[in-house]
Each structure stands twice: as C-alpha cells, then as structure tokens.
C-alpha cells in the first residue's frame, strides 16, 4: 500500500514540483488547492510527467468543514505538506488582514484536524525571510529571528511559533519547518513551473519575461550596496532540488527518525549570487542578451543572505547541487513553453 500524503497548495509552483517527486518516490498524493494562484491544468501536467494522476480537491484551507471532508474522503493520510499561502510581500503590506487570515487560519485548521484524523506529521513552508538581514553569513538555523519587514514575513514567523506551541502543548504531531532561500527554475520537462500573476515581483520571472519581450527591460534594484559588484546577493535554489528535500523530510517524519518533534532546516545551496551575476549567468546559459538598467534600490531589500545548509546536508543526506546554468536554462525553457502554449 502506498502511503498517502496531503499536499496543500499542490498546484502551485513549489507544490507541483513536490507532488511530482512524491509520486516518483512511490507516495500517493491528494492535492488541496483553491486555485487562487494556480491553474487546474497543472494536475494534467503532473500526470503527463509522472504517468500518475494525483487526486485533486478544489477546497480552501480556510474552510474547516471542507478540509474535514477531505480527510474523511481520503482515509489514512499519513502526513501533510502545507504549501498553501498567499506570498506576495508587497500585497501583504496593502492587505495585511487577508495575509494574516489566509496564512494563519489555514495552518490552524490543519493542526486542529490532524489529530482528529490521526495524521501525525506536517511539513511547513517557511522562509529565509525570518532571518531578515543576518549578522553572520552564511546563516545557520541557530541565527536569531529578526523583526519581520512585512505582514507576509510575519505570517511565517508566527506560523513557526504556532507549530511549536501546538506540539509543546502535547498534540500528537511531529513537524519539520523548512526555511527556503530563493526557489527558481522549472521542471526539466517544461510542463510545470512558476506562473506569476501580473507583473512579476521576483527576479527570475522578470528576467525570463524580459528575455521573451513581454517586459521591455529588467530594472536592477541598486548597484551601490556593500557587495563585490554593488548588487544584492541571494541564495538561488533549484525548485526540483527543493522539492526533493520535502520527500526526504516526509520520510524522516514517517519513519520516526526526527531528533526533535519540531525540526528546522535551511534549504539553500550555500552559495550567494548577486543580481548582476545572475543576469550574466542567464545570458551565458541561454545565449539570449538581456535588456537591463540599473535603477535605485527597492525599499526593504535585504542586502545579502545565503544559507549554511550543512545541517540539511548532514541530517537529511540532501544537497542542492544543480548547476546554476542548468537551472536558469530550465527557467527559460519554461518561459518558451508558456509562449508556445499561448499562456504568456
Ligand atoms: P504559489 O502561490 O505558487 O503556491 C501556493 C498555492 O497555494 C497556490 O496554488 C494557491 O492557489 C494555493 N492557495 C493559497 N491559499 C490557499 C488556501 N487558502 N486554500 C487552498 N489553497 C490555497 O507559491 P509557491 O511559490 O509555490 O510557495 C509555496 C509556499 O512556499 C508558500 O507557503 C510560500 O509562502 C512558501 N515560500 C515560497 C518562496 C518563494 O520564493 N516562492 C520562498 C519561501 C517560502
Ligand atoms: C531577488 C533580488 C531584488 C526583481 C522575496 C521575498 C521573500 C522570499 C523570496 C518568500 C533582490 C532583485 C528583483 C527585479 C531586481 N519569499 N530584483 N529586479 O527579495 O530575496 O525575496 O522572495 O518567502 O520573502 O521577499 O527575492 O526575487 O524579489 O529579488 O533587481 O525586477 O533581485 O532587489 O536583490 P527576495 P526577489
């Protein structure tokens, strides 16, 4: 019997790649998504890639009764991977209550429903945003949590605490909090990838849309930072590498291998790349020349952050090692696929 895993936000960017890896590793997947930031045809594409159609439930995680019904309809769910959330940092400043409600209540519903349905494990999508601008680089899991710069960032911090407090209260739940650095790229099939809503706020979708001619030019936000070339530095991690870490983490929970009932892992490559280095790597990977200009700094940007992924490397036996040129080529192939299929 295959073990059954519930994936919330499973038609989204990271969720869809994780569903593929779960199915490839022999798990049975039930996706719950309200399609607020993804499309239903992602399920078809997952089936095309893996040959297996995951169960899909068009349900909102805010709907307690609806979620209860999902657990009843699919008995024996062993674990939950909780991706569903609103994630646009700028929008969260404009609509804080929407972000607090969606991101907090979705998690609370799950944590209430899991014991009721004998589901003992949860993986929560957290973010390197909890570290703010770290004092020491690379940043380890022991680094202090900094006051959040946005309601979105705050939802990640509060949700981490909600998980910890719930487990500490004696709830029969084991949890892994995964702090992602900057996920980029798309599945090698180019059948699934990131689908930004409107004008992309994140660097790589903006780069690929500019290369495609959808955007006139990329604005590089600042070249006067205290970094070697003056542009900001991030740890860009391939989404397929990231997805694989979830499969390993879920196996760890299900096999009872955790050292603690709540564990935290940084998921990054351990390498920092500047915005300008990324732009030039994209040009090298694809042969496409990018129209870009240096403009002023973007308010609230972290200057530099990259992971120390040693703990995840050692404990999970996992490493994000896909070469950046391959990753950027995958992002470009996805953009080409979107053009060919008339999506963008
Ligand atoms: P995404 O928007 O592509 O995927 C999230 C999915 O959740 C979407 O399909 C959306 O329709 C769904 N969703 C949102 N609210 C829902 C609700 N109430 N009920 C049901 N479905 C709902 O985002 P992503 O990039 O795949 O991010 C996944 C998770 O990882 C999020 O929690 C995000 O905050 C976190 N994260 C993302 C990044 C990143 O840069 N992409 C970095 C760190 C952490
Ligand atoms: C990367 C770099 C920009 C766009 C955001 C969230 C964070 C996390 C990941 C979820 C920065 C520069 C960007 C552009 C640019 N998400 N840039 N021109 O800022 O690390 O983080 O996504 O948890 O919470 O804040 O990612 O992709 O927006 O930017 O020069 O048009 O690219 O200034 O240095 P960021 P990003």
């Amino acid at each position: 019997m295959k073990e059954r895993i519930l994936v919330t936000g499973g038609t989204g960017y990271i969720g869809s790649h994780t569903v593929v890896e779960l199915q490839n590793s022999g798990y049975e997947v039930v996706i719950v998504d309200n399609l607020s930031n993804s499309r239903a045809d992602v399920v078809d594409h997952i089936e095309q890639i893996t040959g297996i159609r995951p169960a899909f439930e068009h349900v909102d995680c805010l709907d307690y009764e609806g979620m209860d019904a999902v657990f009843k309809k699919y008995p024996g769910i062993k674990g939950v991977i909780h991706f569903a959330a609103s994630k646009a940092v700028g929008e969260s400043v404009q609509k804080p209550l929407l972000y607090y409600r969606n991101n907090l209540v979705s998690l609370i519903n799950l944590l209430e429903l899991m014991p009721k349905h004998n589901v003992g494990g949860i993986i929560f999508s957290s973010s390197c945003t909890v570290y703010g601008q770290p004092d020491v680089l690379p940043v380890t899991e022991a680094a202090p949590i900094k006051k959040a710069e946005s309601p979105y960032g705050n939802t990640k911090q509060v949700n981490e605490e909600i998980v910890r407090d719930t487990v500490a209260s004696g709830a029969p739940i084991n949890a892994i909090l995964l702090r992602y650095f900057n996920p980029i790229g798309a599945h090698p099939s180019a059948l699934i990838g990131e689908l930004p809503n409107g004008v992309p706020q994140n660097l790589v979708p903006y780069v690929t849309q500019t290369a495609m001619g959808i955007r006139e030019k990329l604005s590089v936000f600042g070249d006067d930072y205290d970094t070697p070339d003056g542009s900001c530095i991030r740890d860009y991690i391939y989404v397929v590498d990231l997805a694989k870490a979830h499969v390993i983490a879920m196996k760890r929970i299900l096999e009872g291998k955790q050292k603690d009932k709540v564990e935290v892992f940084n998921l990054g490559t351990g390498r920092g790349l500047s915005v300008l280095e990324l732009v030039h790597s994209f040009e090298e990977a694809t042969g496409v020349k990018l129209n870009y200009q240096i403009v002023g700094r973007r308010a609230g940007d972290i200057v530099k952050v990259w992971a120390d992924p040693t703990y995840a490397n050692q404990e999970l036996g996992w490493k994000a090692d896909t070469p950046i040129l391959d990753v950027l080529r995958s992002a470009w192939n996805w953009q080409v696929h979107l053009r060919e299929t008339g999506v963008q």
Side-chain angles (χ1 to χ4, degrees):
M1 266 292 277
K2 287 184 172 183
E3 289 178 302
R4 189 174 262 175
I5 308 297
L6 176 69
V7 180
T8 74
T11 47
Y13 174 44
I14 307 170
S16 57
H17 288 83
T18 302
V19 172
V20 165
E21 297 306 322
L22 283 167
Q23 294 195 154
N24 284 343
S25 302
Y27 291 98
E28 185 192 316
V29 176
V30 178
I31 294 175
V32 164
D33 203 296
N34 67 359
L35 302 179
S36 57
N37 199 34
S38 57
R39 294 161 49 123
D41 61 9
V42 169
V43 179
D44 304 330
H45 301 145
I46 292 170
E47 183 179 8
Q48 270 178 274
I49 295 170
T50 62
I52 302 165
R53 191 169 184 83
F56 172 69
E57 295 293 332
H58 186 184
V59 172
D60 197 310
C61 294
L62 294 178
D63 173 3
Y64 183 90
E65 302 300 329
M67 291 301 291
D68 196 25
V70 170
F71 282 103
K72 283 192 187 123
K73 182 171 172 186
Y74 300 94
I77 288 171
K78 291 273 182 278
V80 178
I81 307 185
H82 182 44
F83 293 105
S86 303
K87 65 160 181 177
V89 176
E91 187 187 45
S92 80
V93 177
Q94 305 304 318
K95 302 176 184 167
L97 296 181
L98 188 150
Y99 274 67
Y100 284 116
R101 185 190 300 278
N102 198 36
N103 294 3
L104 270 54
V105 177
S106 293
L107 176 69
I108 292 169
N109 281 345
L110 283 169
L111 294 174
E112 284 185 344
L113 284 163
M114 286 170 58
K116 183 173 170 196
H117 294 279
N118 288 316
V119 183
I122 185 165
I123 293 175
F124 172 67
S125 300
S126 190
S127 167
C128 68
T129 192
V130 302
Y131 299 119
Q133 176 60 67
D135 302 324
V136 180
L137 287 167
V139 61
T140 70
E141 290 83 356
I145 302 300
K146 295 271 176 78
K147 182 174 167 18
E149 294 268 348
S150 69
Y152 166 76
N154 204 24
T155 68
K156 291 299 170 194
Q157 298 192 5
V158 175
N159 272 352
E160 286 199 4
E161 292 191 12
I162 289 175
V163 171
R164 285 184 200 286
D165 291 347
T166 306
V167 172
S169 76
I173 291 175
N174 294 302
I176 293 185
L177 314 174
L178 296 177
R179 294 181 179 153
Y180 314 153
F181 283 66
N182 289 58
I184 62 166
H187 192 266
S189 65
L191 289 169
I192 53 172
E194 187 171 10
L195 209 52
N197 207 349
V199 181
Q201 306 301 309
N202 295 117
L203 179 61
V204 169
Y206 209 105
V207 163
T208 57
Q209 288 198 5
T210 305
M212 185 53 84
I214 300 169
R215 311 281 156 206
E216 195 200 329
K217 64 171 82 136
L218 168 77
S219 296
V220 172
F221 298 138
D223 70 347
D224 55 355
Y225 286 103
D226 178 23
T227 60
D229 66 21
S231 63
C232 292
I233 297 177
R234 297 286 184 277
D235 185 335
Y236 296 95
I237 174 172
Y238 184 36
V239 67
V240 175
D241 289 335
L242 184 64
K244 288 179 176 164
H246 291 75
V247 180
I248 298 171
M250 183 48 77
K251 197 159 179 273
R252 180 176 174 93
I253 295 180
L254 298 182
E255 290 179 352
K257 298 261 169 68
Q258 287 176 279
K259 292 199 161 148
D260 232 316
K261 286 179 79 65
V262 181
E263 292 184 314
V264 184
F265 295 101
N266 279 345
L267 297 182
T269 66
R271 288 181 307 275
L273 206 66
S274 75
V275 177
L276 289 169
E277 284 173 330
L278 185 138
V279 164
H280 296 132
S281 299
F282 178 83
E283 292 182 326
E284 185 186 339
T286 61
V288 182
K289 195 101 191 75
L290 204 67
N291 190 16
Y292 72 89
Q293 65 173 358
I294 312 286
V295 301
R297 295 178 175 194
R298 181 171 71 175
D301 255 336
I302 300 299
V303 180
K304 44 188 166 183
V305 60
W306 63 93
D308 181 340
T310 309
Y311 191 56
N313 296 161
Q314 289 176 350
E315 278 297 316
L316 301 179
W318 166 92
K319 202 169 175 8
D321 53 9
T322 306
I324 187 71
L325 295 184
D326 293 348
V327 178
L328 291 170
R329 220 172 283 120
S330 79
W332 176 236
N333 290 342
W334 166 244
Q335 189 69 61
V336 170
H337 171 82
L338 289 176
R339 168 57 53 92
E340 285 169 351
T341 51
V343 176
Q344 266 177 14

